[in-house]
Every structure is written in C-alpha cells, then in structure tokens.
Amino acid sequence: MTPTPAAVEFRRRKRALTRRDIAPRAKGGSIAVNLSRLQPVSLPSYRIEMAGSLRTNDGAEDADRIAEVVEALTLEEKVRLVHGTYPDWGAPKAGAAGYLPPIDRLDIPALRFEDGPLGVKSTGGTAFPASLALSAAFDVDLAEEFGEAIGSEARESGVDVILAPACNLVRVPTCGRNFEYYGEDPFHSARVTAATVRGIQSRDVVATPKHYVANTQEHERVSVSAEVDERTLRERYLPAFEAAVEDGDAGAVMAAYNRVNGTYATEHRKLLTDVLKDEFEFEGPVVSDWWAVQNGPDAARAGLDLEMPGVGAIDWAAMLDDRLQLLRFVETVWPETVPGPEEAAAWLFENKGGPGGDASPHRSSFARTLPRELDRDGFAEDRLDEMVERVLTLHERVGALDGQRRSVAGPPPTHRELAKRIATSGAVLLKNAAETLPLDREAAVAVIGPHIDEAKTGGGGSSAVRATESVSPIEGIRARSTGRVVAERGHPPIETSPPFGRKVPSLGRIASAWTSPIEDARSAAGDADVAVLVVQDDAAEGRDRDSLSLPGRQDALISAVADIAERTIVVLQTAGPVEMPWIDSVDAVLELWYPGQEAGTAIASLLYGETDPGGRLPVTFAAADEYPAASAERYPGVDGPRDYPEAKHDEGVFVGYRHVDEYGIEPLFPFGHGLSYAAFEYDDFDVSFDETGPSVTVTVENAGERRGRDVVQLYVRDRDASVPRPPRELAGFEAISLGAGETRTIDVGVDERAFAVYETEQGEWVTEGGEFALDVGRSSRNIRATAAVER
Ligand code: BGC
C-alpha cells in the first residue's frame, strides 16, 4: 500500500532527526525531540507538531540495546517473554488484565497491561465517556487530550501498556461493543484513533489499537469468519489500524478473536506480516486478544508475537483454592460478571478460562509448543528472536529496558473536567422542537428514568471502569436547577448484561422506595413545567444487543409521559442507535452515549444551556432493517461448509451512511447530524490547490445569541467512478467553537486518498481521473455548498 505523502514526509523527517535534535530528558530515559524540525509538514490531517515527548524508537542506540538483550537471553527466557503469565498478585498495584514477567537476571522488569478504551481500569482513575462520545465530538485535539489523560493515569498507576483504543468499524448496529468504537466512518475513525494513540504514547505508555481486524460483531466472536473482499478490507476495516501505526506510531496492535476469510486473525500471515508489518511498517509486537491463540506455532509463523494472557483455564481453576485471589481476578477483569467466587468458578469452568480458552493444564500455547517447534517447518530461532525484539520495544518505549523503570507514585490523577468536556462535546442534540432546550433554570422539572440516581459509566466487559466518584443525572440537575425538581423512576431497573453470558439484575444503588410505576411518573410530569426522561440501553462485550429498541418498557414510559407532560425531553444513554417510536410526541432528544462518571454534571450543563451540545452522529440512526447487515448471511452469519459461521460482508464498501445513501433510505437521523443552541451560517466557500492537493475554505458565522460548537464536514463524491462508489464519503472535518456574532474562516485539506479506490489487482490506491464534487455541510444530508474539482 502506498502511504500518504504526508506520512512519507513525516517518516522521512523523523528518520532525519540528528542527535542534536534529541535532548535527554530527566526521567525514565525518555527523549525530547526538537519538534521544530517536524513542523513544516502542513497537511492539517497530520498533526505532527504534537506536544510532549516523541520517542525515537528507530534510534540506533535502542536497536543496539534490544539486540544486546536478545543476544544475552537464554531460549527459556526468550519463550518467557513472548507470553504473559499470572499477574504479580503480591505487588501493591496487582490489578491488571495482563502481566509479562520480569527477567531479573538482565534487569528487565515486568510489564503490566490494562484495559482500556473508556479509561484505565482498576486503578481508581477516571471513568470517561464511551469512545463513541469522544468520536461524536469530531475533534482530534480532544482525542489527543483524552489519550494524554489516560496515558498519565496509566503511568502514575504502574500500567505500561493500555489495551486501547478500540477502533473496529461499526458495521452491525446492535454489536455489543459499539460503544467502545469510534463509529462507522473509516476516515474519521482513523483520525480519532491516531490522535488517541499519540496522546497515550506521549506519556511514555504504549497504546494497543484493537481488535485487528474486521471484528464487527460479538455474536460467536471466537469462531465467526468475517468474509470480506480485499477492497472492502482496505477501504473500511484497515484504515484505523493503518493510521494508528503510520500517523500514531502505535507501539502494539491486538489481533482479534475472529477469523478473516476463514483464517483466525491471530494466524493470518497476510494481515499480520504482509500488511501490518511490511506495508504499514509496524515495528512493535502483535499481541493476541485474551485467549485468542488457537494454535501457537501457526500464530507465531503468521506473525503473532505475544500471547496473552498466557495463562490457561485449568490454572485459573486451580486458583479456586485461593478464593481471595480468584475474586480479585474476577473483580479486576470482569467486575460486573459475577457476584462471588463460587459463581466465578462455575463461569471459569464453563468457559474454559475465557472466550476461546485453551483448556490445557499448561499456561500458554506458545510456552508449550514453541520450543519443540524450533527448526520445524520454517520456524527458526530467528523468528523467535524477532518476536522477542518486538516485545522488547514495549520495554524500550516505557523506559524499562535499562533498569531505570519508574516507581509507582501513589493514586493516579483524575480528569473530571476533561471527562465532562468529552461528554458535552460529544453529546448530540437530535431534536429540539420550538427551542425547548435550553431550559430555564427556574422551570419545575420532573426527572424520570430507571437509573436517574446512577452515572452511566459504560457497558459491560473488559472496558468497564469502576468510578471512584461520579455524579448522577438527578444530582447534576438538582445542583443546577433553581426550580422544583421531582424524581421518579417510573420503571424497574434495566438488567445489565454481563459479558459472555446471562443477564443479572443491576447491582446498582436500588432502593425499593425508588421503584415507582408509570402512573407516578405521569403524575410528576403532569405537575411540572417539563419532563426530563433519562433512559438507557444495555450493551456488553461478548453479546450483541437483541434489537435496537430501548430495553424493558422504556418506550412505553416515554410515550406515557409525553402524553401528559407540557414539554418532554428525552436524554438517551445508549451504545449507538436506538429506534424511537415516540419521536413525534417528544419535544427534544439529547444523545449522550454513555456519559461517564460526570454524567450528571454534563447533562445538567447541556439542559440549562451552559454548554452547547457539541456532538455530531458518528453512526447513522435508522431502523434495524435499514442497515446493510440486515440479513442472516451478513449478520450474524450462517454456517458455511466448515464448522463455523461465516458473516458475509458482501455489502462491500457500503457500510453505514454509505449504505443508506446508496439505497435512497431516509434514516431517522443521518451520519454527521447534530443541532446546536447557536445558529451557524456558511459563506465564502472556496477551493484552492497546493502541492498536497485541494483544500477548502469556508467562513462560518455564529448568527445565534449564544456560544456554540459547530463541526464543518467535507464530503467527496466521485461523479465519474467506473467502480461502485458510495454517493458521498467524509474527507475532512473541523470542530470550532464560536461566540455569538463571531466569524471564522476555516481551511480543510483533502488527502489524495479521499479520491482514490483500492485496486486489488494492482495492490494499490488509484485515483481515477475525472470530476469530483466537494460538498461542505453540517451533516451527510445537510450540504451547504458544493464545488467541482478535476483529478
Ligand atoms: C477483550 C479485549 C481486552 C482483553 C483484556 C478481551 O476479552 O476482547 O478488548 O483488552 O479481553 O481484558
């Protein structure tokens, strides 16, 4: 694959840095780089003028040090470094999803791996909003700031490798992990992913973009094969990983559970070695998802470098003798899964140690098989050495290769203000009839919903961060309102799905006095000026949602309240799209995804207009049967000739809005949609060219009466395509905040890639000559200006 010109230029300049540009920093062996040498690359999509330290992991000294270590390692030590083991339970910060043991003899310390995409788990750090909220902000600077925050929290709590960002493309609207991902557009998702990676790694912590690749569903995730043609892989499912490596310099990549075209992602030579390592020039280790290695030798030959967690099922079961340890493990890795060790034991036995678990009494497939595989079928010690070298780049990146590893310094910082800012910047105002919002602070409000006294911090599974402090919706509203506030649940608690299994009743703070019937909610709404309904869905890793309906009788609750209330506002806390049968009977709808620990503060600040809802939809909201994956062959897949289901991705490149646009479907809310309390007008639209390609300028005026946040979106249309191409594809975006009456001219560059298609035969990106339209708008269906360009 041909890297973009800016990426090539960035790499060239990075390599050209001389020792003079690199000054040793005080701590941990990191290196500060004179970034002025990198700044002249000017494409807006490549923010190489990044702040903070940039490790020169291609420095000759580091490579020498790694080579020295490999030389000094025994075979047994090499094998120890390519798979995880038991966490070091004795250490003060024991909780971690994965643990790589030390080699004390050579002063190589242990490494800790921890989830994940919504914050650093088990460290007492911040429970951030869902990744979809971050992506809805359409703001690469914010994504980088988020990365820096979780990087600092990880670093301060002794975590070396963060198992994030999760950057699978949203294809199946009910996928249980959509809230962990960055949406349905590959260009946008790639930019947010790369920025998050840069942020994390600026704190000398390694990021692990995951799950490579085409992990588009949770149903049968450890056996399903994503059947997907090469053009679609290149244009849809690979770009986020490509950007994570080429623009983000990701230090690790996690290989997924699923198969791709019949071969496990962990054993896929073409994807791991040819594409990721050779084409994208990824220099770190490919890490397996937890228990995703099916066949150690095949995986090692194909390009997998590190098996995680490296501990088999029976080992976990043996831990039953130490209930405290088992409970700690279960609490750490899957907090919502099971209430106690007995249940945990049953679960572990049933699942043989984890999804795709290896029931062997030995710890790791690599440990068991690699020594005996040496010199067989092309598996030479050279390959083992390469695996170890790649693993040691993790140590090198966190400053652990020279015995100077940092010490763990007390409780990690928290980032409450940032968590709130992400929640508000990513909140999408879907509907606002007759300017119902923002609310007057004196209004009498009935706050209604099954979990109004809990902050919705995320979905179930490995990304669940247990918040140490949080603000619930009712607390947030009470703190802001100067009028009467009445609270009613109106609905029993929503059951929460544990990952991989059956539903259990929510363990949230449920007081029986709170469970009030719909009638109580209606009467509270009838007595108030406005009803604010806070509703939510239920999503978790390991299982997909059954439908796009809100669970329980929440739809009925909304309709019943809307029927009586003077004005009705629905606050959604969902993992992605939901159907809204009540949409015409409510006045306003505000989507907050999973807003994180500052939920209440964010909701109140939006309702009362202290902050403009800044988000735009990174996923299309449509009826379940209007998505491309609406047939059993496409999702969840049907059994093929072999013993696993195949999910045919034969909608090809027509995923998300590209599908509804192509087939003329009117979605409930289109990709890119989001209203504002301000009023934006676009003027002076112009296109110019320089050596990097076209760029578009547009003047945006806030003609409203309050500060607002807008996201200018640029779409490309190929008017003369000879191959099937979506009617419109996102090619640029820029988030801006403007005060009332303020005007700003913005400039959005278009990468050549936006015009190109991936030609499978030639194995490269090709721009067909002809006319293209550049559309500037406020959503994929709200275009304000168009220009034609020739390529
Ligand atoms: C998930 C990964 C996660 C890992 C460790 C797996 O089940 O798929 O995303 O990082 O567990 O918790």
Side-chain angles (χ1 to χ4, degrees):
M1 178 178 298
T2 323
T4 56
V8 171
E9 180 60 5
F10 175 58
R11 275 198 230 142
R12 190 187 66 72
R13 290 189 190 171
K14 200 172 122 194
R15 290 206 178 99
L17 288 170
T18 63
R19 302 307 300 174
R20 266 189 304 116
D21 300 312
I22 302 173
R25 263 196 3 201
K27 254 174 99 189
S30 20
I31 313 173
V33 173
N34 178 351
L35 294 166
S36 60
R37 292 287 305 273
L38 293 173
Q39 274 168 2
V41 181
S42 62
L43 268 192
S45 52
Y46 294 91
R47 291 189 61 262
I48 20 203
E49 66 280 30
M50 54 194 168
S53 74
L54 171 69
R55 284 192 170 277
T56 54
N57 62 339
D58 50 353
E61 274 178 31
D62 299 325
D64 289 352
R65 177 75 186 114
I66 288 176
E68 264 170 41
V69 173
V70 175
E71 184 74 30
L73 289 165
T74 64
L75 178 63
E76 190 262 326
E77 286 167 338
K78 288 177 189 171
V79 173
R80 246 162 69 200
L81 278 173
V82 295
H83 67 89
T85 184
Y86 287 113
D88 176 2
W89 297 108
K93 299 273 175 189
Y99 178 79
L100 199 58
I103 308 282
D104 293 330
R105 187 177 72 81
L106 296 176
D107 236 1
I108 299 174
L111 295 187
R112 272 173 208 294
F113 297 60
E114 187 56 294
D115 287 293
L118 280 66
V120 193
K121 192 165 171 163
S122 3
T123 60
T126 314
F128 282 96
S131 313
L132 262 186
L134 181 67
S135 72
F138 279 79
D139 186 341
V140 287
D141 294 336
L142 188 65
E144 193 156 334
E145 199 180 339
F146 163 72
E148 288 162 6
I150 62 171
S152 318
E153 292 188 12
R155 188 173 166 84
E156 295 305 321
S157 50
V159 169
D160 305 288
V161 179
I162 302 186
L163 305 170
C167 56
N168 292 113
L169 201 72
V170 171
R171 167 182 185 256
V172 175
T174 50
C175 171
R177 296 189 87 170
N178 283 349
F179 68 92
E180 293 186 54
Y181 302 150
Y182 289 143
E184 71 190 22
D185 183 82
F187 167 79
H188 165 249
S189 178
R191 295 202 57 204
V192 179
T193 300
T196 309
V197 168
R198 284 196 298 264
I200 292 173
Q201 298 195 159
S202 72
R203 297 302 186 261
D204 294 346
V205 170
V206 173
T208 315
K210 64 187 187 183
H211 312 82
Y212 187 80
V213 61
N215 183 177
T216 53
Q217 64 188 63
E218 290 301 285
H219 186 80
E220 304 267 17
R221 68 172 177 172
V222 299
S223 61
V224 70
S225 175
E227 299 288 309
V228 49
D229 66 76
E230 171 137 19
R231 176 180 167 208
T232 303
L233 261 179
R234 299 281 185 164
E235 293 189 16
R236 297 291 166 266
Y237 301 102
L238 284 168
F241 294 95
E242 185 180 8
V245 171
E246 297 198 343
D247 304 338
D249 190 26
V253 169
M254 185 189 289
Y257 288 119
N258 54 285
R259 296 172 161 101
V260 181
N261 297 326
T263 304
Y264 279 112
T266 49
E267 295 170 14
H268 211 296
R269 177 189 290 273
K270 172 154 191 206
L271 286 169
L272 301 185
T273 298
D274 302 348
V275 175
L276 185 63
K277 294 180 176 177
D278 294 348
E279 282 186 44
F280 299 168
E281 299 187 24
F282 173 62
E283 291 169 356
V286 179
V287 180
S288 75
D289 200 342
W290 267 227
W291 292 288
V293 172
Q294 305 288 334
N295 178 315
D298 285 356
R301 283 194 184 90
L304 192 91
D305 303 295
L306 177 58
E307 180 189 9
M308 293 303 284
V311 182
I314 306 294
D315 292 302
W316 288 122
M319 286 168 60
L320 278 179
D321 284 327
D322 188 338
R323 299 192 160 202
L324 184 64
Q325 284 193 0
L326 180 60
L327 186 58
R328 275 168 78 183
F329 165 72
V330 171
E331 278 184 344
T332 305
V333 182
W334 292 296
E336 309 296 339
T337 313
V338 274
E342 280 79 9
E343 287 235 18
W347 183 85
L348 287 167
F349 273 121
E350 231 175 77
N351 290 276
K352 301 198 176 74
D358 170 9
S360 146
H362 303 286
R363 287 179 180 176
S364 128
S365 180
F366 274 3
R368 207 160 15 106
T369 58
L370 293 192
R372 74 157 196 249
E373 281 298 306
L374 278 180
D375 299 326
R376 261 201 231 169
D377 299 332
F379 184 77
E381 197 163 346
D382 280 1
R383 169 66 189 125
L384 182 60
D385 286 355
E386 192 215 333
M387 292 161 72
V388 175
E389 276 165 19
R390 285 176 178 270
V391 169
L392 287 170
T393 61
L394 302 177
H395 299 77
E396 184 275 318
R397 279 174 180 264
V398 302
L401 203 53
D402 41 17
Q404 288 183 21
R405 189 161 169 269
R406 64 186 181 273
S407 58
V408 174
T414 61
H415 294 89
R416 297 188 62 167
E417 188 279 329
L418 178 61
K420 179 196 160 199
R421 191 147 42 87
I422 294 173
T424 54
S425 306
V428 185
L429 182 58
L430 294 171
K431 173 175 179 176
N432 193 19
E435 297 188 5
T436 298
L437 285 173
L439 289 178
D440 191 331
R441 287 181 67 186
E442 286 168 14
V445 186
V447 184
I448 298 164
H451 293 279
I452 50 179
D453 61 338
E454 286 176 65
K456 179 74 179 147
T457 52
S462 56
S463 66
V465 178
R466 188 171 293 174
T468 50
E469 48 192 353
S470 65
V471 183
S472 70
I474 187 70
E475 284 167 339
I477 291 171
R478 285 213 161 106
R480 277 283 164 277
S481 166
T482 54
R484 191 163 54 86
V485 176
V486 183
E488 284 292 345
R489 280 184 179 276
H491 193 284
I494 301 303
E495 293 191 336
T496 55
S497 303
F500 331 119
R502 71 223 175 284
K503 290 189 182 229
V504 292
S506 165
L507 301 176
R509 288 171 279 157
I510 302 166
S512 51
W514 272 93
T515 39
S516 51
I518 285 187
E519 268 323 304
D520 292 353
R522 273 170 61 88
S523 90
D527 290 344
D529 297 325
V530 58
V532 175
L533 284 141
V534 184
V535 294
Q536 67 190 48
D537 69 1
D538 163 45
E541 178 181 341
R543 59 185 295 281
D544 295 331
R545 286 190 284 161
D546 302 333
S547 76
L548 289 183
S549 300
L550 285 169
R553 302 194 64 235
Q554 294 180 101
D555 283 336
L557 172 68
I558 295 170
S559 299
V561 168
D563 200 34
I564 197 164
E566 207 174 300
R567 284 174 296 160
T568 306
I569 297 162
V570 177
V571 174
L572 293 168
Q573 305 185 112
T574 68
V578 280
E579 292 177 349
M580 304 179 205
W582 33 260
I583 187 71
D584 292 333
S585 59
V586 305
D587 301 283
V589 183
L590 191 55
E591 169 66 83
L592 270 102
W593 318 105
Y594 296 153
Q597 65 171 56
E598 301 304 316
T601 322
I603 290 171
S605 150
L606 294 162
L607 291 177
Y608 292 107
E610 284 157 25
T611 324
D612 194 30
R616 303 294 182 261
L617 289 182
V619 285
T620 300
F621 274 44
D625 60 4
E626 292 174 339
Y627 291 89
S631 74
E633 287 73 24
R634 288 181 176 170
Y635 170 79
V638 293
D639 282 350
R642 285 150 297 186
D643 60 345
Y644 52 81
E646 296 178 346
K648 296 205 185 308
H649 290 42
D650 58 6
E651 72 281 6
V653 296
F654 298 94
V655 179
Y657 66 93
R658 292 165 166 87
H659 170 85
V660 293
D661 288 354
E662 175 74 4
Y663 295 98
I665 296 165
E666 201 53 51
L668 181 57
F669 295 109
F671 177 87
H673 170 74
L675 306 171
S676 163
Y677 298 154
F680 295 102
E681 283 171 12
Y682 292 9
D683 208 351
D684 300 334
F685 180 57
D686 199 13
V687 182
S688 61
F689 291 86
D690 63 18
E691 71 279 6
T692 60
S695 83
V696 164
T697 49
V698 62
T699 301
V700 184
E701 183 193 353
N702 178 354
E705 279 159 20
R706 44 175 84 228
R707 171 165 288 281
R709 187 176 188 280
D710 193 28
V711 177
V712 178
Q713 302 163 37
L714 176 66
Y715 295 87
V716 166
R717 274 184 291 146
D718 186 345
R719 286 182 165 156
D720 303 323
S722 71
V723 293
R725 287 196 76 169
R728 180 172 286 141
E729 307 198 64
L730 188 73
F733 56 89
E734 191 74 37
I736 47 168
S737 170
L738 293 180
E742 206 183 326
T743 295
R744 191 171 317 153
T745 299
I746 59 153
D747 189 345
V748 186
V750 190
D751 290 347
E752 191 56 38
R753 178 71 72 86
F755 301 105
V757 290
Y758 190 81
E759 286 281 353
T760 309
E761 303 244 307
Q762 299 165 43
E764 59 188 29
W765 293 87
V766 173
T767 301
E768 288 187 326
E771 192 178 283
F772 291 81
L774 297 179
D775 294 337
V776 167
R778 302 198 60 238
S779 86
S780 59
R781 295 281 176 105
N782 179 0
I783 300 304
R784 298 291 178 91
T786 296
V789 293
E790 292 286 334
R791 304 304 296 153

